[in-house]
Amino acid sequence: MKNSGQLITELKGLYLPKHRYTNFGNVLLSLETYGIRGMSASVNFDFPITVIIGKNGSGKSTLAQLTLCCYRYKNPEDFSHNIKDYYNLGNFFIKSNLDPEPYTPNAYLRYSYAIPPEAWGINQLSFFAPDPDSVCHARENIIKKKNSDWGGYVKRPDRKCIYFGMGFFVPHHEMGDRIYLDPKTSVWEKREFSERSLNYSAEILGSPYNAVEVATIINQTKAAEMGFAARFGARYSENHMGCGEGRLIRMIDAIENAPEKSLIVIEEPETALHQDAQHNLAVYFLQVCKRKRHQIIVTTHSPSIVDVMPMEARKKVERTSEGTAVEDNPTIAEIIADLSNGHQKSLLIYVEDEFSKKLLVEVVRKFAPELFNAISIAPVGDKVAVLQAVRYTRKHKGIKTIGIRDESKTASEQDLMFAYPSNAAPEREVFQNQFVSDFLYQQYHIDLSETIRAVKDHHEYSNRIAQLCNVGIDTIEVQCIQAYVRHQESSKFIPLINQIKKYC
């Protein structure tokens, strides 16, 4: 498949504000919701593909489903709109005896979408700078409660919307629909996959196909569609496909046959796919987005999918007692840490010794706490051992790894070696700091300058100070490092923090 980095660069160029409508049509630019399914949040769509990440119950599906309600659609051959061809809020947020109030009386959905420059008028908005080259002309619409109904539907723009919900991924034989299992069901007519759909399905799954067809199947009372595949000398229907295989080939076929500049919304496409297929599917999203100018919105828990996407495509949703927050541009480290609650680490960092580890812990705790549960830190000896450990781990274990050495002059990004922002050893940097000296005098009534002057090896500073203070070495090191970090400016450590984020 095509290099994802190149595709991202090309898509960013196509999605520049001044080119946005020309390339992607009336693409969704922003969305704000209030009081629907107990959720109030807003999100901007900063890239033609958006991946929405969050824990279960955070509101991912609600945001994704709301985007489908922003448009209506009229088939080219039809004289008027048919409600069966597009989505309303009632398709997803159903009021019933079981759920009498899925939305508040003042609930609304406000959104903006791109329009051509010639359609600019008094009701249009620009969400960008006044420079003509950085302007995307936009129009806003609002759908809100009006008595017992919703107002604003008729002002929706036209656009084909296609939804792949979780029900789409359930194998036919598990749905209890007898047409797929009835021995009297027969094949009526067939349509072969295009060569392009066939090749993409094979590339994503890493498995060749001789042919794939979609057939209309019928029995006495119903008609439905069923996929058929041929490979390795066998021909079989979706009833005998793996769950991921059957759903994926149908999804690829639907995306490829959708009108250009459609809105495609997919719930958790990683369902039943192995990790390599998840990665390949994410690259396919980039490819088809560039080729067919679709806008694609995906909900996911898959780091493999998120990792392919640029920062601009990522939105992390979190629901708390204070409300729902949408975070822009989260790193993979933040995502893994959040979804795993710190149980799964994204990056292994080798440092020289235990003192260096304690220092890094406190630096991250103060200047980038969102990374705290995303990294593992391991001391290995000295600067040579750090380099050897990084090389071995990356080559033989396939784990994301970098090294942080004690002195800045020993850094080498080519070797994934970074360092603290000083050419002094960390022990000297910490224990020769005036704020640390003040802390030790106030807390333990010792003169730090006199103490370290009598110690030749800086590795022995901690031991000598701990003896004088009558506390453990670990305790005195952590206390002094905290006193040191507490009085440091963020500008000193942000370059190192940014390198950690880059490789997460």
Side-chain angles (χ1 to χ4, degrees), residues 160-171:
K160 180 64 174 177
C161 298
I162 298 178
Y163 178 53
F164 301 101
M166 293 306 297
F168 179 83
F169 296 95
V170 179

Side-chain angles (χ1 to χ4, degrees), residues 5 16 27 34 106 122 149 154 196 214 244 259 279 289 353-354 359 386 424 426 429 431 440:
L16 287 172
V27 62
Y34 176 81
N106 54 348
I122 192 169
D149 209 344
V154 296
R196 175 173 281 160
V214 175
H279 171 90
C289 182
D353 53 31
E354 287 288 346
L359 177 57
V386 171
E429 178 75 11
F431 290 118
L440 287 172

Side-chain angles (χ1 to χ4, degrees), residues 151-433:
Y153 277 150
V154 296
K155 295 181 179 180
R156 289 180 292 180
D158 278 12
R159 190 185 194 192
K160 180 64 174 177
C161 298
I162 298 178
Y163 178 53
F164 301 101
M166 293 306 297
F168 179 83
F169 296 95
V170 179
H172 291 313
H173 62 272
E174 294 183 16
M175 292 192 296
D177 193 333
R178 296 303 305 172
I179 187 171
Y180 297 107
L181 305 173
D182 190 340
K184 296 181 179 179
T185 298
S186 59
V187 176
W188 183 30
E189 57 183 7
K190 302 176 184 176
R191 172 180 58 80
E192 286 193 1
F193 265 37
S194 68
E195 184 176 354
R196 175 173 281 160
S197 297
L198 186 66
N199 290 339
Y200 277 128
S201 299
E203 281 187 68
I204 292 168
L205 292 171
S207 181
Y209 289 92
N210 302 111
V212 177
E213 301 171 329
V214 175
T216 300
I217 59 175
I218 58 172
N219 64 11
Q220 294 179 341
T221 60
K222 288 185 176 181
E225 282 194 339
M226 172 75 81
F228 292 83
R231 63 172 180 162
F232 305 132
R235 182 180 183 276
Y236 53 95
S237 76
E238 285 183 64
N239 283 337
H240 295 281
M241 291 181 187
C243 177
E245 176 190 11
R247 302 298 89 193
L248 179 112
I249 62 174
R250 292 286 301 281
M251 182 172 69
I252 297 301
D253 181 56
I255 292 173
E256 290 294 333
N257 287 306
E260 287 194 356
K261 303 178 182 179
S262 293
L263 172 62
I264 311 291
V265 175
I266 310 169
E267 298 266 20
E268 301 185 28
E270 68 269 21
T271 303
L273 292 179
H274 58 275
Q275 278 72 24
D276 182 57
Q278 293 175 27
H279 171 90
N280 295 337
L281 179 59
V283 177
Y284 167 76
F285 288 152
L286 294 170
Q287 290 176 325
V288 74
C289 182
K290 176 178 178 291
R291 181 165 38 85
K292 299 203 67 173
R293 305 294 199 264
H294 292 327
Q295 182 175 22
I296 301 175
I297 296 174
V298 171
T299 69
T300 185
H301 296 121
S302 168
S304 298
I305 289 176
V306 178
D307 195 32
V308 172
M309 298 298 164
M311 301 291 282
E312 296 90 338
R314 305 173 187 174
K315 308 290 177 180
K316 184 163 75 72
V317 184
E318 183 176 6
R319 181 176 285 185
T320 67
S321 57
E322 285 83 37
T324 303
V326 179
E327 178 186 345
D328 295 329
N329 312 329
T331 65
I332 286 292
E334 291 176 71
I335 291 165
I336 291 176
D338 184 55
L339 297 185
S340 68
N341 205 26
H343 299 303
Q344 183 179 351
K345 307 297 185 180
S346 173
L347 181 69
L348 173 60
I349 302 175
Y350 288 116
V351 295
E352 293 191 23
D353 53 31
E354 287 288 346
F355 191 88
S356 182
K357 176 180 178 179
K358 293 184 181 80
L359 177 57
L360 184 58
V361 166
E362 297 306 325
V363 167
V364 170
R365 194 192 305 276
K366 178 177 180 181
F367 298 112
E370 71 276 9
L371 291 178
F372 196 74
N373 287 328
I375 60 175
S376 297
I377 307 170
V380 290
D382 58 20
K383 63 182 180 182
V384 175
V386 171
L387 177 60
Q388 292 173 340
V390 169
R391 286 178 172 173
Y392 177 85
T393 303
R394 294 185 72 90
K395 180 177 180 179
H396 297 287
K397 300 298 182 181
I399 299 172
K400 287 186 177 181
T401 311
I402 63 171
I404 295 179
R405 287 169 161 169
D406 285 353
E407 301 170 14
S408 60
K409 63 185 179 183
T410 62
S412 169
E413 184 167 3
Q414 181 179 353
D415 295 318
L416 299 178
M417 293 289 106
F418 306 97
Y420 294 110
S422 171
N423 276 326
E427 292 89 343
R428 294 187 187 277
E429 178 75 11
V430 170
F431 290 118
Q432 293 179 5
N433 181 269

